[in-house]
Each structure stands twice: as structure tokens, then as C-alpha cells.
């Protein structure tokens, strides 16, 4: 069976899905996107992802082509048509197709493209062993709170990480960690509290981050929403990242130095379990 994707109102085999040459997503990176984790065939935290999509579209002034109920119907149908039980649903909305010109086109309608990627999230070697990150300068623009499809800085950051033998880049501005190339960055202090950068235009408001903070509050873990430096991360007891496509992943090396004893720590493992429990239980997720 060929992979089925969604393009502008139709479900079709990926080989038949074509976006016109003059699409502004292709020419300008003029669009926004979302990515949602799927576990047991269910979309995790989807309402919050759709809320963030609505905000991203508003901020860049692209009309939202669908209601929340319509988006959900399309996502669920795509997951079903691909028989996917675990993985990731990606979709993007661009400003549409028009002759190349920087000004917003008057006639164009947004292009909507959605696809699924099957992937093991609940169980993976990365989750068991942890991953390595390297720090790189944060070279992005000033509106990182918008989930823009302009990802060149992240592509370069993550490739640099890969070439250094790591799996993620932690981006740094003025000595402070902003976030991962495609994830939110956390450390755990020796006293056992979680440190994460507060929301601002400098980072994406991660949906997994949001759920994780709620879970840790309920669990009585002390939370410090503040900036942290690279040096503080080197000295941390534990480190981890969160994203829709990985949930919670232990970070066991930063710039080649082991974090703590170089193994996934107890706070990280506890948070991963709490998150998995929430994701596996729709009733908990809806609370
Ligand atoms: N990335 N920060 C950045 C820069 C991201 O690109 C992402 C997500 C996150 C985590 O956000 P969330 O928990 O809502 O997934 C933080 C997705 C997974 C991606 O680009 O593939």
C-alpha cells in the first residue's frame, strides 16, 4: 500500500501529490506547520497543537482554511488511511501559489499539505540510553514563537550536531540555552528541581513542554522557569528534551561531557513515565 497524504482537500497516494512550482512555501518559506505525536492511533495533545497553529497563522496573517473540528477530522482520517498506530502527523499551511512577489498575493488560497511518519516513540533505544547534544550558536530570527517552516538555522544546527556525533543541537544565545533544534531543553539541578527557559519570542512554546510542566507540578517536582547557561547544563544532575515526536528523551552528554553519571537519571525517567501514562490515557490527557 502506498503512503496516503492529504493535499488541498484530497487524500491521495504520495506519488500523485504535487505542489505547484510557484508555491510561496517553496519560494519564500512563507508558511507555518505543526507536528503531533500519535500513540495507539490517537493524536496526543491535539487541541493544544491546533491552538498553536491558529496562533501561528494569525501572527503571519495566513487565513486558517479549516475549523478545529475539520482539522481533527482530516488528521484522524489520514492516520486511519495509513493504518498508523504510532508516529507523527506533520502538516503545513503556506500562503499559496502566486507569481513570485514579496507582497501578499490578493488571490492566492493557502496550500495545505499533511503526511504521517510511522515511528516508535514509546519504546526506542534513544529513550533507553539517552542521547548526546552539542551546543551551537542560535542563528534564528526573532519570532521563534511562531512555528514557521523556515528551518534553515535548525537544519544547519542539527547537521552540525550530527557531524559532531550527537543527535540534537542545543542552541545558545548570550551564553544561555534557548532550546533544541527541534525540541525544548531542560536540566535537573542537583537539588532535584527542573529548570526550563520561560516562554517568550526567543523559543517555540512547546506543547510537550506545557504538558510536562503540568505533570511535574501535579507530581510535586520543584520547577524553576528561568534561563540557564551552558556551564550550568554541564554541571546539572540530569538533562532532557521534549518534543511531540519523542515525548521525553534523556540527554546524557553535552559537548562530549557526561551529564551526571552519563546515564538517564531518575527525575527524567519518572517524567517520561508520567508523560507516557498521560498519552496512553485519553481521560488524563483531556483533563
Ligand atoms: N519540533 N522547539 C523547537 C524549535 C521545535 O521545532 C519543537 C518541535 C519543539 C517542541 O515542541 P512540541 O513539544 O510542541 O513538539 C521545541 C517538531 C517536533 C519538529 O519540527 O519536527
Amino acid at each position: 500500500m502506498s503512503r496516503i497524504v492529504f493535499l488541498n482537500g484530497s487524500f491521495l497516494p504520495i506519488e500523485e501529490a504535487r505542489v505547484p512550482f510557484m508555491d510561496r512555501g517553496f519560494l519564500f518559506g512563507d508558511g507555518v506547520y505543526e507536528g503531533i505525536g500519535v500513540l495507539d492511533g490517537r493524536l496526543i495533545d491535539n487541541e493544544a497543537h491546533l491552538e498553536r497553529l491558529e496562533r501561528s497563522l494569525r501572527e503571519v496573517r495566513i487565513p486558517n482554511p479549516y475549523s478545529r473540528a475539520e482539522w481533527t477530522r482530516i488528521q484522524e482520517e489520514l492516520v486511519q488511511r495509513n493504518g498508523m498506530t504510532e508516529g507523527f502527523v506533520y502538516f503545513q499551511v503556506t500562503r499559496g501559489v502566486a507569481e513570485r512577489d514579496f507582497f501578499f498575493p490578493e488571490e492566492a488560497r493557502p496550500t495545505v499539505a499533511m503526511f504521517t511518519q510511522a515511528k516508535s516513540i514509546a519504546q526506542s533505544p534513544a529513550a533507553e540510553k539517552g542521547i548526546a547534544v552539542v551546543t551551537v550558536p542560535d542563528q534564528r530570527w526573532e519570532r521563534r514563537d511562531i512555528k514557521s517552516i523556515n528551518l534553515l538555522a535548525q537544519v544547519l544546527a542539527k547537521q552540525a550536531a550530527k557531524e559532531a556525533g550527537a543527535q540534537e543541537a542545543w542552541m545558545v544565545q548570550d551564553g544561555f540555552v534557548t532550546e533544541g533544534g527541534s525540541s525544548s531543553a531542560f536540566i535537573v539541578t542537583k537539588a532535584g528541581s527542573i529548570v526550563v527557559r520561560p516562554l517568550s519570542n526567543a523559543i517555540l512554546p512547546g506543547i510537550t513542554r506545557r504538558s510536562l510542566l503540568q505533570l511535574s507540578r501535579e507530581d510535586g517536582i520543584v520547577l524553576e522557569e528561568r534561563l540557564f547557561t551552558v556551564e550550568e547544563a554541564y554541571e546539572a544532575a540530569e538533562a532532557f528534551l521534549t518534543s511531540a515526536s519523542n515525548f521525553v528523551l534523556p540527554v546524557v552528554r553535552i559537548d562530549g561531557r557526561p551529564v551526571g553519571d552519563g546515564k538517564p537519571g531518575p527525575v527524567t525517567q519518572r517524567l517520561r513515565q508520567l508523560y507516557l501514562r498521560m498519552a496512553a490515557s485519553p481521560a488524563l490527557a483531556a483533563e
Side-chain angles (χ1 to χ4, degrees), residues 33 49 52 88 140 147 154 179-184 204 206-208 242-245:
Y33 76 107
H49 282 280
R52 185 173 65 187
F88 190 60
R140 296 174 298 163
K147 203 160 170 58
Q154 284 102 310
E179 60 185 330
S182 57
S183 55
S184 308
L204 184 78
I207 302 302
T208 321
T242 63
S243 76
S245 52

Side-chain angles (χ1 to χ4, degrees), residues 45-169:
D45 268 341
N46 197 40
E47 282 297 305
H49 282 280
L50 291 177
E51 197 182 303
R52 185 173 65 187
L53 170 81
E54 289 161 6
R55 179 178 183 277
S56 292
L57 287 170
R58 238 185 357 258
E59 291 295 316
V60 302
R61 296 164 59 199
I62 293 176
N64 189 343
Y66 298 119
S67 68
R68 231 182 254 193
E70 287 168 328
W71 277 118
T72 308
R73 220 169 30 243
I74 297 164
Q75 293 169 302
E76 287 176 348
E77 182 166 348
L78 194 66
V79 168
Q80 259 165 23
R81 281 182 183 245
N82 285 286
M84 191 177 75
T85 52
E86 195 167 332
F88 190 60
V89 173
Y90 173 97
F91 63 97
Q92 67 176 43
V93 183
T94 79
R95 205 178 303 276
V97 182
E99 182 58 41
R100 185 178 186 277
D101 186 354
F102 285 80
F103 306 115
F104 292 178
E106 306 225 327
E107 300 283 305
R109 267 179 307 146
T111 300
V112 176
M114 189 185 298
F115 61 84
T116 55
Q117 282 179 328
K119 178 184 176 192
S120 286
I121 312 181
Q123 289 190 335
S124 73
E128 261 161 50
K129 284 193 269 160
I131 62 156
V133 305
V134 294
T135 58
V136 299
D138 196 332
Q139 305 193 92
R140 296 174 298 163
W141 72 328
E142 292 185 2
R143 290 301 309 276
R144 303 162 189 161
D145 55 311
I146 299 170
K147 203 160 170 58
S148 151
I149 60 171
N150 279 276
L151 293 172
L152 188 54
Q154 284 102 310
V155 166
L156 296 176
K158 288 180 76 97
Q159 182 61 22
K162 185 179 175 189
E163 288 170 10
Q167 291 77 47
E168 176 62 303

Side-chain angles (χ1 to χ4, degrees), residues 3 15 24 27 41 66 84-85 121 208 235 237 246 250-251 268:
R3 179 148 63 141
E15 299 77 20
R24 291 176 65 99
L27 295 178
Y66 298 119
M84 191 177 75
T85 52
I121 312 181
T208 321
E235 296 302 317
N246 286 298
V251 169
T268 305

